[in-house]
Amino acid sequence: MQRRIILTGSNGLLGQKLVYLLADRPQIKLIATSRGINRHSLRGGYHYEPLDLLDTEGWRRIFQEVGPTDLIHTAAMTLVDQCETDHETCDKYNVEAVAFLASLCKEYGTRFIHISTDFIFDGEAGPYTERAEPRPLNYYGGAKLKAEEIVQNSGVDWAILRTMLLYGVTPAMSRSNIVLWAKKSLEENKEIKVVSDQWRCPTLAEDLAAGTLAAVMKDARGIFHLSGGEMMSISELVHQVADHWKLDKSLITEIESSSLNQAAKRPPKTGFIILKAQTELRYQPHSLTQGLALVDKQLREGWTE
Ligand SMILES: NC(=O)c1ccc[n+]([C@@H]2O[C@H](COP(=O)([O-])OP(=O)(O)OC[C@H]3O[C@@H](n4cnc5c(N)ncnc54)[C@H](OP(=O)(O)O)[C@@H]3O)[C@@H](O)[C@H]2O)c1
């Protein structure tokens, strides 16, 4: 059977990695969509359609043209503090668009593979399994949780893949990430402040893309936690970045989250137990050391943010 896959957010970090994995496969017809022009360096083996999440007519047309077997929904308003200060836009992109896409999936018998976040949890009891009780601390987390509930109650065949603290590099990224930011700042001899009271499992974008592909090809159903396998504080992560690229660690100052005055509250300790994904999807994330080595190789090959 040939799969006809529509991907949203194909200009994003996860989206771009998924295009590399899904394009040019005989058993897959890929339609990549994102806002504005295609920023992916790979041009062949798939079709690109510029499509805003709110363009309901455009979405109706593309579902009618393609009759997708699967929708992989990575696009979202991902800036957490922006969601906290602009609830209306956050709701439109992260909740209402999901409800609309789910209704199209219902109409066309399309599977909905939805990407979600550790920020649905309050960070008091990490690492979390898929069965843990969500309790979001900020507006972004609340919106992503509503989206999860919409997908689950939509009557479509669905899988929800939750992830956290993505890092990696692709040409022409939408935004930077903690690894690239720390590396660049320290290379420029800038003093940086990093929190020592938030713990995460940093996730290599290639690993999440591979896990997503596995979920699609295995017709996985239900919720899966897909993150790196190592839990660490943000400051430990930044120290490892400094070690990897032999940068000056004296430029790093550890601070507490409360001193940052960010609009959105962050959960202190999330982290995932990834056993279900390891067992059912054969998900095998790289270690942080391996992930940083891959990023280093890609940067040496000329990939820049
Ligand atoms: N990054 C993380 O640490 C993290 C952690 C947990 C969960 N997640 C989830 O993982 C998913 C992918 O994250 P990511 O880091 O790959 O995100 P990203 O790099 O910010 O990419 C998101 C993509 O969606 C596109 N997009 C945003 N609004 C759109 C709209 N209205 N219409 C069409 N496209 C739109 C963006 O377009 P532009 O390129 O034009 O901005 C961007 O290409 C998201 O669902 C996010 O909630 C991410």
Side-chain angles (χ1 to χ4, degrees):
M1 172 195 124
Q2 196 202 37
R3 282 181 194 266
R4 297 177 301 281
I5 300 178
I6 296 183
L7 169 67
T8 74
S10 65
N11 279 333
L13 179 54
L14 171 60
Q16 289 205 32
K17 300 296 181 190
L18 277 166
V19 170
Y20 284 120
L21 286 187
L22 297 166
D24 217 5
R25 285 187 178 235
Q27 73 278 31
I28 292 176
K29 177 178 172 172
L30 175 65
I31 293 87
T33 71
S34 218
R35 193 161 45 186
I37 58 160
N38 186 6
R39 299 205 307 270
H40 208 291
S41 58
L42 187 70
R43 290 300 157 121
Y46 69 102
H47 175 73
Y48 178 80
E49 188 83 28
L51 205 47
D52 193 282
L53 282 177
L54 304 182
D55 179 359
T56 50
E57 279 319 301
W59 282 106
R60 278 189 211 289
R61 176 181 52 76
I62 202 144
F63 265 72
Q64 196 171 27
E65 278 170 16
V66 176
T69 53
D70 304 82
L71 174 77
I72 307 176
H73 184 43
T74 80
M77 182 166 166
T78 53
L79 295 173
V80 176
D81 291 315
Q82 212 170 306
C83 287
E84 203 67 25
T85 52
D86 184 357
H87 292 186
E88 200 181 326
T89 312
C90 178
D91 283 343
K92 278 191 183 144
Y93 289 167
N94 293 353
V95 183
E96 291 162 30
V98 173
F100 177 68
L101 290 174
S103 71
L104 283 179
C105 286
K106 179 95 196 294
E107 196 178 327
Y108 285 84
T110 306
R111 266 167 60 71
F112 198 133
I113 294 95
H114 180 65
I115 309 299
S116 193
T117 171
D118 60 328
F119 278 22
I120 64 155
F121 295 115
D122 64 10
E124 295 298 330
Y128 293 98
T129 69
E130 289 81 357
R131 291 184 308 282
E133 195 64 41
R135 199 180 80 90
L137 292 185
N138 56 44
Y139 203 82
Y140 166 81
K144 293 290 278 189
L145 179 59
K146 275 188 207 159
E148 285 195 9
E149 288 161 359
I150 287 167
V151 172
Q152 291 177 32
N153 296 323
S154 61
V156 302
D157 195 1
W158 58 270
I160 290 169
L161 313 178
R162 294 183 186 141
T163 192
M164 72 177 73
L165 201 62
L166 268 188
Y167 71 93
V169 64
T170 58
M173 297 175 65
S174 306
R175 60 194 176 105
S176 190
N177 53 67
I178 180 87
V179 166
L180 298 182
W181 168 79
K183 175 178 181 290
K184 190 163 179 247
S185 306
L186 296 175
E187 279 172 348
E188 291 171 356
N189 281 319
K190 286 188 184 149
E191 292 186 5
I192 56 173
K193 293 179 175 160
V194 289
V195 292
S196 55
D197 57 357
Q198 288 179 34
W199 287 265
R200 306 281 182 264
C201 296
T203 308
L204 179 68
E206 273 81 358
D207 286 335
L208 177 59
T212 305
L213 177 68
V216 171
M217 300 313 271
K218 289 175 184 289
D219 289 322
R221 290 183 173 82
I223 300 174
F224 292 87
H225 282 180
L226 297 173
S227 68
E230 297 152 284
M231 170 89 102
M232 62 193 73
S233 70
I234 304 290
S235 64
E236 282 167 354
L237 168 60
V238 168
H239 276 91
Q240 288 211 40
V241 169
D243 281 339
H244 193 88
W245 279 285
K246 302 189 171 43
L247 298 167
D248 182 0
K249 286 194 278 191
S250 71
L251 295 166
I252 304 169
T253 306
E254 296 190 357
I255 55 165
E256 291 190 1
S257 306
S258 55
S259 67
L260 278 177
N261 286 323
Q262 288 168 309
K265 215 173 161 195
R266 268 54 172 189
K269 187 177 184 182
T270 61
F272 284 156
I273 290 167
I274 56 173
L275 188 62
K276 183 179 175 197
Q278 287 172 316
T279 313
E280 294 184 27
L281 305 179
R282 295 185 182 274
Y283 175 67
Q284 284 187 322
H286 291 79
S287 66
L288 179 65
T289 307
Q290 291 168 331
L292 296 181
L294 181 64
V295 171
D296 185 52
K297 179 172 168 286
Q298 292 166 340
L299 288 170
R300 282 172 197 280
E301 286 167 359
W303 289 15
T304 49
E305 294 171 54

